[in-house]
């Protein structure tokens, strides 16, 4: 799995980067299914938006965006939604076989 994490209008601090890496451990179970992973952290005047784009081995693309006034809350929401969506897609594919 290729990972790309970038801050836009915001430079990710070491503590923020460590927190994001800790939260991405949830994706370790699905790392064989994810080909590309891209996370953008946008800092806007009213808070943070975290956008996650994933490409899976079965050709699926998912785009998740979550916003919050707090960075860590936005990261939590985006990662949780991504894990849930990929697991759901994986179950659907398993049912078809």
């Amino acid at each position: 799995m290729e990972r790309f994490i970038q801050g836009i209008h915001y430079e990710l601090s070491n503590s923020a980067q460590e927190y994001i890496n800790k939260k991405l451990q949830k994706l370790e179970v699905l790392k064989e299914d994810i080909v590309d992973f891209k996370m953008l952290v946008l800092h806007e005047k009213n808070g943070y938006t975290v956008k996650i784009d994933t490409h899976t081995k079965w050709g699926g693309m998912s785009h998740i965006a979550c916003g919050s006034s707090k960075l860590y809350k936005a990261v939590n929401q985006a990662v949780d939604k991504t894990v849930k969506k990929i697991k759901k897609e994986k179950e659907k594919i398993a049912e078809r076989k």
Side-chain angles (χ1 to χ4, degrees):
M1 168 173 73
E2 285 187 44
R3 276 205 255 182
F4 178 76
I5 301 169
Q6 180 182 7
I8 298 179
H9 304 291
Y10 174 72
E11 188 166 334
L12 292 171
S13 65
N14 288 339
S15 62
Q17 187 72 34
E18 288 175 18
Y19 185 80
I20 289 170
N21 287 332
K22 181 181 166 189
K23 287 298 169 185
L24 292 181
Q25 301 249 330
K26 291 182 178 183
L27 293 173
E28 287 299 313
V29 177
L30 303 168
K31 73 179 179 182
E32 293 178 8
D33 300 321
I34 300 172
V35 177
D36 290 322
F37 176 88
K38 180 179 179 182
M39 175 186 274
L40 298 176
V41 179
L42 293 94
H43 181 69
E44 299 165 338
K45 62 182 175 183
N46 57 348
Y48 295 91
T49 301
V50 176
K51 295 182 179 183
I52 297 178
D53 297 329
T54 55
H55 181 121
T56 54
K57 69 179 182 181
W58 52 82
M61 294 278 301
S62 81
H63 308 284
I64 304 288
C66 293
S68 177
S69 60
K70 302 194 188 264
L71 172 64
Y72 296 142
K73 184 175 180 181
V75 169
N76 280 341
Q77 290 174 345
V79 171
D80 290 344
K81 282 185 178 184
T82 300
V83 169
K84 185 176 178 180
K85 184 168 186 169
I86 292 173
K87 283 183 178 180
K88 187 175 180 180
E89 286 178 11
K90 188 175 179 179
E91 289 172 5
K92 283 183 180 180
I93 289 174
E95 287 176 4
R96 292 181 193 160
K97 290 184 178 182

